[in-house]
Amino acid sequence: MVPNLTLTAPHEAENQIEISLKQSLQSLQPSLKPPFSLTIPNPDEYIQLNHAILHAILTQPHFSKTHVKHLHAIITDGYATFLNLLFNIVHHLYPKLLGSVKHQLIWVTDEMIQVSGIGYDALLISLLRQIVGGDFSDDNLWLCEKLVTLLLDKWDCLLEEMPHVLCSGLYVFLRVLADHCRVNGEKFESLKRLEVHFCVKIVREEFHLCMKIGRDFIRLLQDLVHVPEFKSIWKDLMLNPSSFNTLGFSGVSQIYLTRTSSRYALLRITPAMETQLRFLLTHVKLGNQKRHLMWFARKFLNEPDKETVVVDIVRFICCAHHPPNEIIQSDIVPRWAVIGWLLTTFRKKSCVEANAKLALFYDWLFFDEKVDNIMNIEPAILLMVHSITQYVEMTNTLLEFLLLLVDNYDMEHKDIIVKGVSLAFRFLESKGVIQSLDILTSCPTLSPSLKEGLSRLLSSGKPESSKEFLPDCNFGLKTGVFVEELLMVIGYS
């Protein structure tokens, strides 16, 4: 009897990928034992043999070295077929894979890197996507440890052949390290040391890879400023950029002005999350979204620690899901509505909520119409405008936070931020995303001090003093709370 790859509930149908692999192993099992056939297989036989060998490697660990030798002997396509199968297993089946299969999966991934198989970079990135933010289960922490160890062990090879994998690894581990540093316990200590070592190694030795990530590198780095190794990095970024020995790097403003590719936002969303979010934002009509959102929350946000994933989801919706005009102009639930719901899911006010708002507004701070995509900044303005009639507190809260960002995020580069936010507002108006900025500046239900601060920003392009941007402390949520949250986000707490 051929063993299973996954743990499937009685009511669930068996996955077609697993069925195909099992069928291949059943029919070819006798030929997987030495001595191996010297006959060259035809294309169909070759594919089936790849299926059989892969299933055998994943389910027969005691014979895995024999099966890999067999694989090496038959390969005619640079391992492309084999690695494509591995990628599909990770992408579609990973959460359901048996523990022993996951161990073999990491082992065979190592083997594929050693032989420079075609597509091993996509496999590694797919594995990185399976790391779940805010998940402190043994299984998730095990995957973190295995992948960061693998990236360190294969450092020279990856640096030479697939440096973008190291960029992806840096993005992922900066993000999950922030989660891991919020908790204490023996089981976290060795993992945190590994993650810190990996991230610092890239930043200190290969800073050009950090620059490829763009401005989101800074957004993630600031969440770790309380960690001594990263505090030192932050200080050098601000005061001594030449210490990174990177030709052409003159200072942090250079990174601020580099837009982060949408593929990085995808890294922090599991394939299962992505599927559900894209379905919601492509097929569900506005007004019918409540049950879909509640189901999503039960599945992916059901524990307090997993609230940190909201930050990643907001960034994904802004940067990686850009619907076509026919969707935008239809009655499909818009992106701003989903983000508005996400911002109300927090069980308590925290730096996580502030980080989610920062993720929403981050591209505003450095907006340049020649570099940035209007779709990245559209959800925030639409959420503010559409909330005015029934949820004006949301509009006040978001505008308050944005003006506080302008005034406090980075005093050394305040001119860049004022210019970016001002340009973002004007560009959204000029492109017809909103009819007029008067919707905000003349709204009778908005806080007067917020309207004054926004008008000052738009008219002068630069605030005269920080006090002029602070909203009325007696309106809605206290300004003091948001100042505290903002300072937590930018690393001064």
Side-chain angles (χ1 to χ4, degrees):
M1 183 177 177
V2 176
N4 291 331
L5 296 176
T6 62
L7 185 63
T8 307
H11 64 276
E12 291 181 314
E14 198 171 10
N15 185 276
Q16 287 300 314
I17 297 172
E18 183 170 7
I19 290 173
S20 176
L21 292 172
K22 288 173 73 172
Q23 288 175 344
S24 295
L25 182 57
Q26 278 177 331
S27 62
L28 295 177
Q29 200 156 18
S31 62
L32 298 187
K33 298 176 182 177
F36 302 126
S37 171
L38 299 177
T39 306
I40 298 174
N42 63 41
D44 289 339
E45 291 170 341
Y46 180 76
I47 292 172
Q48 194 175 23
L49 195 51
N50 272 266
H51 279 66
I53 291 174
L54 176 54
H55 195 291
I57 288 172
L58 296 178
T59 58
Q60 300 173 11
H62 296 301
F63 302 104
S64 55
K65 291 184 179 179
T66 300
H67 295 312
V68 162
K69 288 179 181 178
H70 190 186
L71 178 68
H72 294 332
I74 67 156
I75 285 299
T76 59
D77 63 349
Y79 301 88
T81 298
F82 187 81
L83 274 157
N84 185 58
L85 287 170
L86 269 175
F87 172 86
N88 283 322
I89 287 173
V90 172
H91 188 81
H92 296 288
L93 299 179
Y94 185 85
K96 295 182 179 181
L97 292 178
L98 295 169
S100 59
V101 174
K102 289 178 180 178
H103 279 79
Q104 286 301 107
L105 184 62
I106 297 299
W107 180 83
V108 75
T109 298
D110 189 315
E111 289 288 318
M112 290 300 99
I113 299 172
Q114 288 188 46
V115 296
S116 298
I118 296 172
Y120 79 77
D121 55 329
L123 174 61
L124 281 171
I125 289 170
S126 187
L127 282 166
L128 287 168
R129 288 190 67 189
Q130 297 297 338
I131 295 175
V132 181
D135 183 347
F136 302 134
S137 66
D138 290 342
D139 189 61
N140 197 57
L141 296 178
W142 173 85
L143 181 60
C144 291
E145 182 181 2
K146 289 298 180 182
L147 289 181
V148 74
T149 301
L150 187 60
L151 294 178
L152 284 167
D153 287 347
K154 304 299 180 185
W155 176 272
D156 292 336
C157 171
L158 292 171
L159 188 60
E160 181 181 351
E161 297 180 356
M162 302 291 178
H164 65 281
V165 172
L166 292 177
C167 293
S168 298
L170 176 62
Y171 188 92
V172 168
F173 286 109
L174 283 175
R175 174 63 190 85
V176 299
L177 186 54
D179 287 342
H180 296 164
C181 286
R182 291 191 181 102
V183 293
N184 296 312
E186 258 184 62
K187 71 175 184 178
F188 293 99
E189 292 310 311
S190 61
L191 175 58
K192 283 192 281 190
R193 285 195 296 271
L194 272 174
E195 291 170 342
V196 168
H197 173 57
F198 172 74
C199 294
V200 170
K201 184 176 177 66
I202 292 184
V203 176
R204 288 300 189 187
E205 297 180 16
E206 306 294 339
F207 189 75
H208 62 101
L209 297 180
C210 306
M211 294 177 66
K212 290 180 182 296
I213 294 175
R215 66 177 67 120
D216 275 75
F217 166 67
I218 302 298
R219 182 178 65 85
L220 299 182
L221 189 65
Q222 71 193 23
D223 220 17
L224 294 165
V225 73
H226 58 285
V227 179
E229 293 88 344
F230 293 103
K231 189 173 185 179
S232 172
I233 287 170
W234 189 262
K235 185 177 179 180
D236 284 342
L237 273 173
M238 296 299 173
L239 303 176
N240 188 24
S242 62
S243 66
F244 295 99
N245 297 315
T246 300
L247 187 65
F249 177 60
S250 56
V252 72
S253 61
Q254 196 174 340
I255 303 177
Y256 282 154
L257 298 175
T258 303
R259 180 175 63 88
T260 298
S261 168
S262 61
R263 69 176 179 269
Y264 290 102
L266 275 169
L267 282 169
R268 296 314 312 126
I269 300 292
T270 66
M273 286 183 195
E274 181 187 0
T275 298
Q276 294 303 320
L277 288 168
R278 291 201 191 275
F279 176 82
L280 176 67
L281 293 164
T282 306
H283 298 289
V284 177
K285 292 184 178 181
L286 184 61
N288 296 335
Q289 74 271 22
K290 185 175 180 180
R291 66 187 181 92
H292 294 274
L293 292 172
M294 295 309 295
W295 181 88
F296 184 90
R298 283 196 300 271
K299 185 169 184 180
F300 299 113
L301 307 173
N302 60 339
E303 298 170 16
D305 290 328
K306 289 188 176 179
E307 285 186 347
T308 60
V309 178
V310 172
V311 179
D312 303 318
I313 296 171
V314 169
R315 205 72 188 127
F316 163 78
I317 292 174
C318 288
C319 304
H321 183 80
H322 293 170
N325 284 334
E326 53 265 30
I327 295 292
I328 294 173
Q329 294 165 6
S330 71
D331 57 355
I332 297 298
V333 60
R335 296 186 299 160
W336 63 263
V338 176
I339 290 175
W341 172 79
L342 286 167
L343 293 179
T344 66
T345 60
F346 298 101
R347 295 169 178 84
K348 60 181 180 179
K349 302 301 176 188
S350 65
C351 65
V352 180
E353 182 178 358
N355 264 323
K357 292 169 188 167
L358 181 65
L360 177 63
F361 284 117
Y362 203 59
D363 290 309
W364 286 62
L365 304 185
F366 318 106
F367 186 77
D368 180 348
E369 61 185 280
K370 296 177 183 177
V371 174
D372 288 283
N373 192 324
I374 193 173
M375 295 295 284
N376 287 23
I377 61 173
E378 179 217 56
I381 192 70
L382 291 181
L383 178 56
M384 287 192 284
V385 168
H386 285 285
S387 297
I388 287 174
T389 53
Q390 288 184 287
Y391 307 101
V392 70
E393 187 176 331
M394 174 70 79
T395 308
N396 276 287
T397 298
L398 291 176
L399 189 53
E400 176 186 34
F401 189 82
L402 178 59
L403 295 180
L404 284 168
L405 280 176
V406 170
D407 212 36
N408 295 280
Y409 183 74
D410 184 345
M411 299 300 292
E412 294 298 319
H413 298 92
K414 192 171 179 178
D415 55 335
I416 293 175
I417 293 171
V418 170
K419 180 182 177 182
V421 174
S422 302
L423 181 59
F425 272 116
R426 296 296 186 192
F427 194 65
L428 287 162
E429 181 184 45
S430 69
K431 293 299 181 182
V433 175
I434 57 171
Q435 290 183 352
S436 171
L437 290 171
D438 291 343
I439 299 172
L440 294 174
T441 57
S442 302
C443 176
T445 55
L446 278 180
S447 165
S449 58
L450 286 178
K451 289 188 288 186
E452 182 185 353
L454 177 57
S455 297
R456 222 177 265 278
L457 173 65
L458 294 173
S459 61
S460 67
K462 187 175 182 179
E464 294 178 13
S465 72
S466 61
K467 291 182 180 179
E468 293 175 9
F469 270 81
L470 291 178
D472 183 354
C473 290
N474 295 318
F475 188 90
L477 293 169
K478 300 293 185 183
T479 297
V481 174
F482 274 82
V483 170
E484 183 182 346
E485 288 180 353
L486 180 62
L487 294 180
M488 290 171 74
V489 169
I490 61 180
Y492 294 111
S493 59

